[in-house]
Amino acid sequence: MRHLGTACFIVLSYLTGQRPGETLSLRSGCCPDPGAGRPLIYGHVFKTARDEDGNHLSRGQMREVPWVAIPPAMRAVRVLERMVPADSLLFGATAHDFPHHRTYHAALNRPTMNRRIEDFISWASALALRLGRPHEVIPDDPHGAIGTERFRRTLAWHIARRPGGLVALAIQYGHMRTAVSAGYAARSRDGIHDLLDIETARATADTLATLHADLDAGGGVSGPAARRAIHAAAQAPSFAGSVRSTRQARAILRNPTLAVHDNPHTFLMCVYNRDKALCHRLGTSDTPTLDRCVSACANIARTDRHAAQLRAEAEHLEKQAASEMVPEPLADRLRHRADNLRDLADQHHRNRIANQETTT
Ligand code: SF4
């Protein structure tokens, strides 16, 4: 039960972008049934909580601005609601003191949760070994204990860099950007936007620095946006390693000639130009919707790295298709996809342009 409570903290903290203290002070009933809409998680306010007659409410009141959550976060709330008494703190220290049930009047604190996260990691890794699943052991972290603080930053990192990746089963980071930001929209000082901006600008800087180095080493770029990508890469040395503040991040994000986003999930680079973007036909946006990338878009560029990844993925799919375990119709689909990926890699090699060719 202790580890289950910790797992719920991890899910909530990681998938909402809440600060540790905000998660630890959630109460049962904080996530009403959303019906057909998105789940919303309401934090509580205590200091300013008043009933209709103006009397102070010591048990607090739901705050007006909720976090927009995704279903796993709502499920974590539901699990916690079964672990604690009705109308109480989801991380109430008494309810979470499983061996002794000593009485406390507050939620678990951060040092306690830090320890529980480390214990959870040890337990999960031991379980993985016991079940013969060594690949699921959680590796040691070179930066030390995970703690409660890193989840938000990690979420921002993934939203910025893995838009088509998977956060938990089938949840896409592209969707998470909308969901997480929406919860913060009315609270500009709450900081997730700043984190997202910094991580997005760093991702752009890294993408351009890599492209610049690859081009210098004789690499090539193909696709309708190849020349724009090469011009953007030429500016990389001027800001490499410089994204430390929100101000620096916004300067990069505001510069339309630097709007280059790697999209590893689709083996391409989006050299974003709003007028040409096919991923959001309705309305306009300053950022591409990378998880809905359209293969005919004029903003696409591919590098030699992407071509190599395409071939590696094609090989992987063909191996899967050759397995006796895979039924024939599925094997056909895998082979078809492998052929398409290989075609894209061939196209890249036929059409690639390199640095010198753009200046002649
Ligand atoms: S559809 Fe175009 S603009 Fe949208 S992510 Fe893909 S390449 Fe970028």
Side-chain angles (χ1 to χ4, degrees):
M1 291 294 279
R2 187 172 181 267
H3 292 316
L4 182 60
T6 309
C8 290
F9 174 85
I10 293 170
V11 168
L12 276 168
S13 181
Y14 186 35
L15 296 184
T16 62
Q18 291 168 350
R19 291 189 166 83
E22 293 169 332
T23 304
L24 290 170
S25 62
L26 291 174
R27 299 185 72 92
S28 53
C30 66
C31 182
D33 186 347
R38 277 192 181 153
L40 300 175
I41 296 181
Y42 292 83
H44 267 69
V45 287
F46 295 91
K47 218 167 148 186
T48 53
R50 295 269 183 278
D51 67 13
E52 287 158 9
D53 301 323
N55 301 314
H56 182 246
L57 286 171
S58 56
R59 63 190 160 84
Q61 224 171 25
M62 278 190 191
R63 66 196 294 177
E64 274 174 27
V65 184
W67 285 274
V68 180
I70 52 176
M74 182 173 73
R75 278 200 292 279
V77 171
R78 295 289 175 265
V79 170
L80 290 162
E81 282 173 339
R82 293 177 64 179
M83 294 167 71
V84 301
D87 201 21
S88 64
L89 288 161
L90 290 181
F91 291 98
T94 306
H96 283 265
D97 180 14
F98 296 103
H100 308 295
H101 290 292
R102 285 165 292 200
T103 305
Y104 300 93
H105 296 290
L108 296 172
N109 59 27
R110 275 153 57 182
T112 302
M113 191 48 84
N114 282 339
R115 273 196 307 279
R116 288 190 177 203
I117 290 170
E118 292 310 303
D119 292 348
F120 176 80
I121 291 170
S122 307
W123 172 81
S125 294
L127 181 68
L129 289 176
R130 210 163 62 235
L131 298 179
R133 305 181 68 81
H135 53 286
E136 289 181 358
V137 166
I138 300 168
D140 285 341
D141 192 308
H143 301 289
I146 301 279
T148 53
E149 303 285 342
R150 279 209 243 155
F151 295 110
R152 301 173 81 230
R153 187 165 286 276
T154 306
L155 175 66
W157 188 95
H158 274 283
I159 290 174
R161 294 177 189 249
R162 293 287 182 273
L166 300 181
V167 52
L169 304 177
I171 302 154
Q172 292 185 344
Y173 285 114
H175 163 65
M176 284 292 293
R177 180 184 276 273
T178 321
V180 170
S181 307
Y184 283 83
R187 288 182 284 149
S188 55
R189 294 195 304 119
D190 256 338
I192 196 86
H193 285 124
D194 290 354
L195 276 183
L196 283 174
D197 283 350
I198 287 179
E199 290 303 335
T200 306
R202 282 185 180 159
T204 297
D206 289 352
T207 301
L208 291 179
T210 306
L211 181 58
H212 184 259
D214 286 352
L215 288 167
D216 266 3
V221 188
S222 70
R227 282 175 201 279
R228 283 193 284 130
I230 291 171
H231 283 125
Q235 301 181 58
S238 63
F239 57 81
S242 73
V243 189
R244 292 201 185 82
S245 68
T246 318
R247 195 175 50 80
Q248 290 162 330
R250 298 220 168 111
I252 290 176
L253 297 178
R254 269 199 300 267
N255 184 339
T257 64
L258 299 179
V260 178
H261 307 262
D262 196 26
N263 195 355
H265 192 60
T266 42
F267 311 108
L268 58 82
M269 199 178 259
C270 168
V271 190
Y272 187 65
N273 175 327
R274 190 164 57 182
D275 299 336
K276 297 177 199 267
L278 292 186
C279 48
H280 35 70
R281 288 161 201 275
L282 302 172
T284 52
S285 164
D286 284 338
T287 50
T289 312
L290 295 176
D291 59 322
R292 290 198 211 122
C293 188
V294 179
S295 60
C297 184
N299 288 339
I300 288 175
R302 279 203 173 84
T303 64
D304 295 347
R305 282 176 198 268
H306 294 125
Q309 287 162 1
L310 284 164
R311 287 193 197 288
E313 178 67 8
E315 218 168 275
H316 172 69
L317 294 176
E318 274 164 356
K319 272 194 193 135
Q320 270 184 295
S323 160
E324 285 172 7
M325 310 282 288
V326 175
E328 204 44 42
L330 177 59
D332 279 347
R333 280 209 298 280
L334 291 172
R335 278 191 285 268
H336 183 65
R337 166 118 177 104
D339 287 346
N340 285 346
L341 296 182
R342 216 167 253 128
D343 276 354
L344 287 173
D346 290 345
Q347 274 175 39
H348 167 79
H349 284 290
R350 276 198 303 276
N351 302 324
R352 71 195 273 286
I353 48 176
N355 234 346
Q356 279 176 335
E357 296 161 46
T358 62
T359 51
T360 53

